[in-house]
Amino acid sequence: MRSVTSNDIPPATRRTLLRGAALASATAAGLGLTGCETRDPGDPELPTEPVELGPASEVPVGGARIYPEHKVLVSRPSEEDYRAYSAVCTHAGCVLSGTRDLEADCACHGSRFDSATGRVLQGPAHESLPEIPLRSENGRLIAGPAA
């Protein structure tokens, strides 16, 4: 029985290497696009009934807070001005991950939103966050449609 040596295997040509690299890139790009699909902005996740979020005082003036269990983002641009938006990123459906002043971030792909308006500050998201009705009763925030 004859053993195979490195002399028996033809050296890789430049063409062979480039074909392999192109195939690997195309495969990786296809997989990347599959995992990063844009959401249908016409189908946002919004509360379908009133949801009590907690004390209004938990949202800092000039800042925002994410309520991940309810997928709600509440901002407080000024002392008496509260606004609520869906905390579901309009790019790929991840729940927003953090806030800094009046900005909200999505850790999945780097989108950033203005939490006072819901507008996109940085993509890949293109659609603003949908606004959610918000009211305060006895110092507690309630998001969603009126009961």
Side-chain angles (χ1 to χ4, degrees), residues 1-92:
M1 177 184 261
R2 181 176 175 281
S3 64
V4 177
T5 66
S6 60
N7 293 337
D8 296 328
I9 301 172
T13 65
R14 183 171 188 271
R15 173 181 262 170
T16 303
L17 290 173
L18 290 175
R19 280 184 181 168
L23 179 60
S25 291
T27 302
L31 291 175
L33 288 174
T34 303
C36 186
E37 296 177 8
T38 301
R39 285 181 49 84
D40 176 6
D43 187 27
E45 294 184 37
L46 304 174
T48 57
E49 56 188 46
V51 175
E52 186 175 320
L53 301 175
S57 61
E58 290 182 348
V59 182
V61 176
R65 179 172 179 190
I66 297 169
Y67 297 86
E69 64 279 8
H70 301 296
K71 300 178 182 175
V72 174
L73 166 69
V74 176
S75 67
R76 189 176 179 188
S78 62
E79 186 68 36
E80 298 299 319
D81 185 13
Y82 293 90
R83 301 174 189 180
Y85 299 91
S86 170
V88 177
C89 181
T90 57
H91 171 245

Side-chain angles (χ1 to χ4, degrees), residues 96-107:
L96 300 178
S97 55
T99 63
R100 185 178 56 248
D101 300 323
L102 286 173
E103 292 185 10
D105 302 313
C106 180

